[in-house]
Amino acid sequence: MADTNMPDFEPVIEYLGLKGRYQGVQAVLQVLGIYCLSFAVLIGVFTGYEPAHECNAVNVTEMRDLFSVPDNASLEASYGKCAVTLVVNDSAAVTTHTMSCVNGHNYFGNKYISFTSEMDLVCDRTGLGDLSQTLLMLGQGIGGFIFTSLADRFGRKPIYVFTSFGMTILHILIGVAPEIGSLTLFRFLIGGFQQGVCLSSLTLFLEMMSPRHRMLGSVVCGTLWSTSVLTLGLLAWLLRYHSWRTLQLIMTATTSYCVLLPWLLMESPRWLACNNRADEALEIFRKWCEQNGKDFAHVKSLFDKNVVEKLRVKKMLEEREGEEKPELHVEKYTILDLFKHKQIALTSFVLAFVWVTNGVTYFGLILTSSSLAGDRFVNFLLSGLAEWPSHSVAYFMLRRMKRRLIETIFLVLSGVCLITSVLLLLSPEQEASTASIVFSLLGKFSITGAFNALYLLTPELFPTNLRSIGLGWSSALSRFGGMVAPYSRFLAEKAVYGPGTIFGCMCLISALLIRLLPETRGRPLPNSIQEMKAWRSEKPGIRKKETCIDHAFIVPPESKRDVEDTETHNYRYSLVET
């Protein structure tokens, strides 16, 4: 049963509404954090780009002495990407000698176009640049764990302000890094700070909304991400003849809004009230009413009745729980419980593979966009443009179709498009090359839609006390996919069709595995492992008219429409882990 003593902010938020000057200012400050997220993660596509290169010329006279070439023999040198080949031709025989690029590499006048070329991270050092991208993804995982806890303890605003300033400083430090060691360290740190900005800004954004608007908020967040991808591609194209450090330092401007946050950004009233700071929360609501022309007396009445009083009763019951309610027992779970029960273990392993597939495919397609036929800047821009409408399409599908079906459709479409793109790459025709790019972009569109559906499906599959753990496990594995994705570039260099084949097959396998999971649309969220097990024995299509619970509020579904609307309540889990 639901705990009727849980604080209910929804009457207050519903009365204040979605539109108004206060929400406008706060939303802009919050979504600026969301908008800057892709720059830190994806800028390596351009700053770490490996341009065409060959070995610098060697002194042929010195080579004669080094290899004891007779005076009557000719000596010619040919220069490859990673080796110099010397051909000795005398009257007796033709011999060859191979050596490394002893005089460095020639980047055809573009040495400072990326840190890869400036720091000579090619040939035997070629993995160091991609290692910095992998460690950035690792930093995201660690930062997400650390800053989530800090935001719950110290508040959303302090963490948002701190990590935004941190990202600004790290953009500068990366732009002036003298060598690969310090650059890798700074990129690792910016990955962690990026997650701090992500989690705190998204949480602030969601906690300002009523439940029925949160799925719409997810579309806004996804569209902002895709818009920032397009912005990054455009900036990189405009600065294509400049040093990579110029583009990196310009990224400082994308987070410079942080100077406004300490003065203009407000803390989440929800967090304040739940942390014994109800007076501060009420003061924020007072400013909210003043700026929007709302009745503060009415808001205070709703706040006192639905929040303050329930918090007081809840605290009193918690203090007396040991004496008066010995029969109450709340089961505590750990990540090990994901694998103790057959059905939950199956769900966990299936989701693990699907999340890895989504992560490696999404980031792999972005990071290998420069290996596609045509201009690398155009390919990146088209890649960002392809995912832009995907968020809206996924939104409308999620409101009308089954979760599992939507995920299957997007995964199958992505797999088929990527494999078709690979087959077209094998054709020598120019038209086939263009068509290959089109199908690759359709694959990007589809995997973005799959991510949208997966973020909603995952938390709906786990019982209440395992929900955050289950989503955290799944999200962490998507980071693993992102860590592996940078190395797909090496495969693309050896076999241009390699990444697309792997991504496409993984998508098709995931589409088959997702059918092993139960459908969640129209069902109340499971509150226990027993309820989750019972799903298998229920007939498909039956909807239980029970009270749907989302931790902090209760909405009794009196109609089919209400049941569908309550599904949006749980969507906040997806956004907090993006």
Side-chain angles (χ1 to χ4, degrees):
M1 279 188 66
D3 184 357
T4 57
N5 294 313
M6 291 298 290
D8 187 3
F9 291 87
E10 309 319 319
V12 179
I13 300 299
E14 284 287 352
Y15 172 73
L16 291 170
L18 183 64
K19 300 178 182 179
R21 179 185 171 190
Y22 177 90
Q23 296 97 313
V25 172
Q26 295 303 307
V28 167
L29 294 174
Q30 293 156 8
V31 300
L32 281 173
I34 301 169
Y35 179 73
C36 74
L37 295 178
S38 73
F39 299 128
V41 179
L42 302 181
I43 192 174
V45 174
F46 302 105
T47 58
Y49 168 68
E50 182 178 320
H53 59 88
E54 67 179 21
C55 294
N56 275 326
V58 298
N59 188 312
V60 177
T61 302
E62 292 179 358
M63 295 301 104
R64 279 183 173 276
D65 297 335
L66 180 64
F67 292 100
S68 301
V69 177
D71 293 337
N72 62 342
S74 64
L75 177 63
E76 295 182 356
S78 61
Y79 305 99
K81 291 181 62 176
C82 298
V84 179
T85 302
L86 301 173
V87 180
V88 179
N89 187 358
D90 59 20
S91 56
V94 176
T95 57
T96 60
H97 303 279
T98 302
M99 58 192 302
S100 61
C101 301
V102 292
N103 292 335
H105 298 85
N106 175 24
Y107 296 98
F108 307 107
N110 294 324
K111 183 173 178 61
Y112 300 100
I113 196 173
S114 71
F115 63 76
T116 298
S117 52
E118 180 181 320
M119 301 175 185
D120 276 333
L121 305 180
V122 295
C123 299
D124 56 337
R125 304 183 71 205
T126 192
L128 294 178
D130 291 294
L131 177 63
S132 73
Q133 181 70 25
T134 295
L135 290 180
L136 186 149
M137 296 286 183
L138 177 62
Q140 281 187 294
I142 296 174
F145 174 77
I146 293 174
F147 288 117
T148 299
S149 301
L150 292 177
D152 286 340
R153 182 174 181 181
F154 298 106
R156 287 74 163 102
K157 177 180 175 179
I159 300 306
Y160 184 20
V161 173
F162 173 71
T163 52
S164 295
F165 273 100
M167 279 189 66
T168 303
I169 294 170
L170 286 166
H171 274 309
I172 296 173
L173 291 176
I174 293 173
V176 299
E179 38 77 35
I180 187 59
S182 58
L183 184 142
T184 300
L185 173 62
F186 296 147
R187 297 198 78 201
F188 168 76
L189 292 175
I190 205 171
F193 277 79
Q194 186 257 15
Q195 279 297 285
V197 172
C198 172
L199 297 173
S200 55
S201 61
L202 282 171
T203 303
L204 279 167
F205 187 55
L206 288 173
E207 290 183 345
M208 191 176 66
M209 291 183 173
S210 62
R212 62 193 180 94
H213 291 130
R214 285 178 188 150
M215 189 178 286
L216 179 61
S218 73
V219 177
V220 173
C221 296
T223 303
L224 280 169
W225 167 275
S226 300
T227 303
S228 66
V229 172
L230 292 172
T231 304
L232 175 60
L234 180 60
L235 285 173
W237 178 77
L238 292 173
L239 298 171
R240 62 192 182 279
Y241 300 121
H242 293 260
S243 167
W244 69 273
R245 297 182 186 273
T246 303
L247 177 61
Q248 182 65 57
L249 291 173
I250 283 179
M251 290 300 103
T252 306
T254 65
T255 53
S256 59
Y257 67 90
C258 63
V259 299
L260 301 174
L261 297 181
W263 320 108
L264 299 179
L265 184 69
M266 296 295 178
E267 181 57 272
S268 168
R270 294 176 187 264
W271 182 87
L272 289 171
C274 292
N275 285 272
N276 300 317
R277 296 165 65 177
D279 290 342
E280 296 178 49
L282 199 57
E283 178 63 19
I284 290 178
F285 282 129
R286 184 186 64 78
K287 295 179 181 178
W288 196 331
C289 290
E290 288 178 354
Q291 294 184 29
N292 287 3
K294 295 288 185 176
D295 184 1
F296 176 65
H298 182 60
V299 169
K300 186 177 185 303
S301 173
L302 292 172
F303 184 74
D304 289 341
K305 176 183 177 181
N306 295 283
V307 179
V308 176
E309 180 61 23
K310 289 188 176 183
L311 283 170
R312 185 187 68 79
V313 174
K314 183 174 180 291
K315 182 178 180 181
M316 180 182 67
L317 291 176
E318 286 174 348
E319 291 172 351
R320 295 162 48 189
E321 186 177 18
E323 302 174 11
E324 300 184 9
K325 295 188 177 181
E327 74 281 359
L328 291 178
H329 175 66
V330 178
E331 193 72 32
K332 301 295 183 182
Y333 298 117
T334 67
I335 193 170
L336 296 179
D337 288 283
L338 294 176
F339 313 102
K340 289 181 179 178
H341 305 272
K342 181 179 178 181
Q343 183 175 340
I344 296 181
L346 175 63
T347 299
S348 300
F349 282 119
V350 169
L351 288 175
F353 188 84
V354 177
W355 276 85
V356 169
T357 296
N358 277 258
V360 73
T361 303
Y362 179 84
F363 287 104
L365 287 174
I366 289 181
L367 298 176
T368 58
S369 61
S370 59
S371 66
L372 296 174
D375 185 270
R376 62 192 179 98
F377 297 101
V378 173
N379 291 338
F380 186 88
L381 286 168
L382 290 175
S383 178
L385 191 62
E387 68 180 71
W388 208 29
S390 181
H391 307 287
S392 298
V393 172
Y395 169 73
F396 287 110
M397 291 177 70
L398 286 167
R399 291 191 65 86
R400 292 164 173 80
M401 298 169 62
K402 295 181 178 180
R403 316 288 196 233
R404 195 176 60 174
L405 176 61
I406 296 170
E407 184 69 16
T408 302
I409 290 173
F410 277 126
L411 286 171
V412 169
L413 183 59
S414 181
V416 170
C417 288
L418 293 175
I419 292 175
T420 303
S421 174
V422 166
L423 295 175
L424 290 169
L425 278 176
L426 302 178
S427 173
E429 300 294 332
Q430 178 62 35
E431 292 78 7
S433 179
T434 302
S436 174
I437 296 176
V438 172
F439 278 99
S440 178
L441 295 175
L442 285 174
K444 179 69 180 305
F445 166 88
S446 303
I447 202 64
T448 304
F451 248 134
N452 277 277
L454 193 59
Y455 268 121
L456 183 57
L457 174 65
T458 299
E460 291 180 341
L461 284 167
F462 291 100
T464 299
N465 287 350
L466 265 176
R467 192 163 292 128
S468 293
I469 295 173
L471 184 60
W473 151 264
S474 303
S475 181
L477 288 168
S478 77
R479 298 285 181 262
F480 174 77
M483 291 169 62
V484 174
Y487 295 98
S488 59
R489 183 175 62 86
F490 296 131
L491 180 59
E493 291 177 353
K494 301 294 182 181
V496 70
Y497 52 83
T501 302
I502 294 175
F503 300 157
C505 291
M506 289 181 69
C507 286
L508 294 179
I509 294 172
S510 294
L512 293 174
L513 291 177
I514 208 75
R515 307 302 296 172
L516 299 176
L517 302 178
E519 179 54 55
T520 62
R521 186 174 187 265
R523 293 178 180 265
L525 298 179
N527 293 318
S528 65
I529 291 177
Q530 288 70 28
E531 287 185 26
M532 186 175 178
K533 288 181 177 179
W535 277 10
R536 292 290 184 186
S537 60
E538 291 180 13
K539 293 181 179 180
I542 294 179
R543 297 187 178 191
K544 292 184 177 180
K545 289 195 174 183
E546 299 178 4
T547 299
C548 296
I549 304 170
D550 183 16
H551 295 267
F553 49 92
I554 308 167
V555 180
E558 298 177 354
S559 66
K560 176 181 176 182
R561 181 66 180 179
D562 290 335
V563 172
E564 293 176 351
D565 284 344
T566 59
E567 294 169 359
T568 66
H569 298 174
N570 195 51
Y571 205 77
R572 69 171 152 191
Y573 293 105
S574 69
L575 296 175
V576 170
E577 292 292 334
T578 299

